[in-house]
Amino acid sequence: MPEHRLPARAVLASYLQGAPAIVGLVGVGVIALTNAQFWLGRWGVFLIGALLLARLLQPVFTVATLRYDLSDSGIRVVRGLLNRRSTSVSWAQVAVRERAQPWAYRMLHLDVLTLRVGGEVTADGVIELEGIEPAIAAEIVELAAQSHPRHEASPESVAEVPAPVVHDALGENVGSDTIYRATTGQLLVSGLVQGQVVVIGTGAVLAALDVVQQFGGWSDATLLQNLPLVTTLAAAGIIVLGMLLAVVRFHGFEVVRDGDRLVLSYGLVETHHRVVDAASIVGVRAHRNALEMLIDHVRIRLLSQGAIGSGAANAILPALPRTIAASVLEATNGALPAPTLVYRSGRRVLLPAAVALLFTVGVSVGAGLLVSWLWAPPLFVALIAAGASALLVIGVLSLVTRRLSAQHPHLCAREQHLFERTDLVRTAEVHLLSVVSVARVRARGVRVAYFAGMPRSIRAVTRNHELLTDVRTTLGEAAAPLAASRVRARVRTHREVATR
């Protein structure tokens, strides 16, 4: 196939997408040059100019120097001018394929295509083409889909997994390929129960309070005098902003089954279209907190071989109704069985979670009061002591309640306290079992290391020595087919060399 280049309008799309950063740098430079009170010195102005120049030249340099070739076997990308760097990837090694359309690229009818290679954690394992033509992006996704090895479900998994059920937001059938389609109301609930309101909304509320304090004439004393009102408005703002931003992020969330692949589509301002092959899924994490237990929702994360970083390519789904989460896992054609918590109502474990929450809060408040009584430190020191004690209690509860089990071809780790979580990993992906013992103490610390785009591990404490034997046996059973395949590969290579 002929050599391809990014279109020239990709430069304009990059400028539009990065407009806030460009405008910010220009604004800071203008203020520094025109207002002596904010003068940053010659080196400060030089640094701002250098950053602005780099931001303006980077898209031009990328579009001018990037080339890529497509073939039936793979893709080859060449970057750079003086230092040319070439990356070649076989279609069969592409674990995750994602097409995104940020608002600026959507205006100019362009895509951002990301290909992630399974088993590679460096930058070479990610090929990102920003500003590619949608038709070429669709062609690349199709070539990778056709060349990817088909996944055969194991007999053990198939025997445990019931037939998939297809739902929309109301639980009605919407077609043989669509597993789930979320409504705006469900996304609002999802953003509330999974804690995104705290993460996303807190920053916005603090910024708003700072603006009010700076330009509204409110001093610290005024804020303290109106503390109940400020607290109420801040809590309401966190909830509203967090829920709205969660809806914007996952707008139009849809899960579609395409053969042995899952296709995830979502996003309002920046749309995402992600394809994950069942064969690339090495593990699954199911999680629910107390609120999710109450409304019977579950969060699931599909761990993929192409997941570079802590979650960049993992299929992180919003909180879903429990039956829908089971259907999503069942649609992987037995790549992994659904964790047991997906088939168990969350309300059954709500009482232990409430007890653990009350215990944690009691210890945290007691630690803060004890520190204040003994040393009379500033308020923030007592708050730090309370927070540290809460984290310590949660860590201890995690170690005490975590249970590890092994049943070929999977390893499973479960824990239940403030929240309930299950990690399920393919045994074939485990590459290390570490056991730590202290003197004559019967308890053993166990660490199981595996690979899902980056090194990950499961830690647990157990007194069951038979479990350790079962884990070693399971790892041995998983390693035997892998060793046999490597022997066959070496024999085939020797034969090819001998016939030359």
Side-chain angles (χ1 to χ4, degrees):
M1 296 184 181
E3 185 179 70
H4 296 275
R5 302 174 61 178
L6 297 177
R9 65 182 188 277
V11 176
L12 178 58
S14 179
Y15 286 160
L16 291 175
Q17 189 70 19
I22 296 174
V23 173
L25 288 173
V26 173
V28 171
V30 171
I31 292 175
L33 291 174
T34 58
N35 194 329
Q37 183 180 358
F38 297 98
W39 174 246
L40 302 176
R42 288 180 299 175
W43 287 108
V45 174
F46 174 79
L47 178 60
I48 293 175
L51 292 174
L52 180 61
L53 184 63
R55 186 65 186 84
L56 294 175
L57 291 181
Q58 186 270 333
V60 177
F61 179 81
T62 300
V63 171
T65 61
L66 189 143
R67 304 287 187 274
Y68 61 96
D69 296 323
L70 306 178
S71 66
D72 294 335
S73 59
I75 181 173
R76 176 175 173 267
V77 180
V78 180
R79 300 180 180 88
L81 183 60
L82 300 178
N83 182 23
R84 305 282 285 178
R85 184 171 185 173
S86 175
T87 303
S88 299
V89 175
S90 169
W91 296 128
Q93 301 303 319
V94 176
V96 178
R97 309 173 290 281
E98 180 178 359
R99 291 175 61 188
Q101 273 196 328
W103 66 271
Y105 291 86
R106 190 191 313 168
M107 289 175 54
L108 299 175
H109 305 288
L110 295 172
D111 282 1
V112 175
L113 178 66
T114 305
L115 305 177
R116 300 181 186 272
V117 180
E120 179 59 54
V121 296
T122 64
D124 290 334
V126 181
I127 293 179
E128 189 170 39
L129 301 175
E130 297 183 358
I132 188 173
E133 296 282 0
I136 300 179
E139 179 185 359
I140 292 175
V141 171
E142 184 62 26
L143 285 171
Q146 293 176 355
S147 302
H148 204 283
R150 307 296 288 182
H151 171 66
E152 297 293 337
S154 62
E156 296 89 341
S157 299
V158 174
E160 297 175 2
V161 177
V165 181
V166 181
H167 298 279
D168 68 355
L170 301 177
E172 300 173 354
N173 188 287
V174 295
S176 59
D177 295 328
T178 304
I179 300 172
Y180 177 65
R181 184 181 297 133
T183 64
T184 302
Q186 285 190 325
L187 293 178
L188 286 171
V189 173
S190 174
L192 174 64
V193 300
Q194 69 185 62
Q196 289 185 354
V197 294
V198 177
V199 178
I200 300 175
T202 302
V205 170
L206 290 177
L209 289 176
D210 184 65
V211 171
V212 170
Q213 192 174 9
Q214 292 292 330
F215 300 101
W218 282 33
S219 63
D220 292 339
T222 305
L223 289 176
L224 290 175
Q225 290 175 359
N226 297 273
L227 187 60
L229 175 62
V230 172
T231 304
T232 303
L233 292 177
I238 289 174
I239 293 175
V240 173
L241 286 175
M243 293 173 68
L244 290 178
L245 291 176
V247 169
V248 170
R249 178 187 178 188
F250 288 108
H251 174 76
F253 181 80
E254 185 179 58
V255 182
V256 176
R257 178 182 56 216
D258 180 15
D260 59 359
R261 297 182 291 270
L262 285 180
V263 183
L264 310 177
S265 303
Y266 60 91
L268 180 61
V269 177
E270 181 173 346
T271 59
H272 292 265
H273 184 79
R274 179 174 297 176
V275 182
V276 181
D277 289 280
S280 70
I281 299 174
V282 302
V284 61
R285 169 173 291 178
H287 177 103
R288 57 186 174 193
N289 56 31
L291 285 176
E292 290 164 335
M293 293 175 190
L294 182 62
I295 64 174
D296 208 14
H297 276 49
V298 177
R299 261 178 288 165
I300 58 175
R301 173 182 293 188
L302 303 179
L303 302 177
S304 168
Q305 292 173 343
I308 308 299
S310 62
N314 290 331
I316 306 175
L317 280 62
L320 303 174
R322 185 169 49 84
T323 55
I324 304 298
S327 297
V328 171
L329 293 176
E330 291 157 6
T332 60
N333 292 344
L336 284 170
T340 54
L341 73 84
V342 175
Y343 295 109
R344 186 176 65 244
S345 173
R347 298 183 183 92
R348 296 182 179 179
V349 294
L350 185 58
L351 181 59
V355 172
L357 177 62
L358 292 176
F359 177 74
T360 304
V361 172
V363 172
S364 176
V365 172
L369 293 176
L370 180 62
V371 170
S372 299
W373 179 65
L374 291 177
W375 293 286
L379 179 60
F380 75 92
V381 176
L383 293 177
I384 291 176
S389 62
L391 293 176
L392 178 62
V393 170
I394 294 174
V396 172
L397 289 176
S398 296
L399 286 177
V400 171
T401 63
R402 189 172 300 162
R403 297 292 181 267
L404 186 66
S405 61
Q407 183 176 3
H408 182 66
H410 305 108
L411 289 178
C412 181
R414 301 182 180 90
E415 61 180 285
Q416 178 183 332
H417 41 91
L418 293 172
F419 54 84
E420 186 179 16
R421 184 170 70 188
T422 298
D423 290 332
L424 197 63
V425 181
R426 282 186 192 170
T427 310
E429 307 301 330
V430 175
H431 57 263
L432 176 66
L433 171 64
S434 176
V435 180
V436 178
S437 59
V438 178
R440 297 184 178 181
V441 179
R442 289 184 54 82
R444 299 288 188 268
V446 182
R447 176 176 175 266
V448 177
Y450 64 99
F451 187 89
M454 64 177 293
R456 301 175 185 271
S457 62
I458 298 174
R459 291 178 171 86
V461 176
T462 181
R463 295 167 57 94
N464 187 352
H465 293 188
E466 295 181 358
L467 171 63
L468 300 180
T469 303
D470 292 341
V471 172
R472 293 189 181 97
T473 303
T474 302
L475 295 181
E477 293 174 354
L482 181 61
S485 64
R486 291 176 175 173
V487 170
R488 288 193 296 269
R490 286 196 296 268
V491 171
R492 183 167 57 252
T493 302
H494 292 322
R495 289 177 179 174
E496 291 175 354
V497 173
T499 54
R500 291 177 182 175

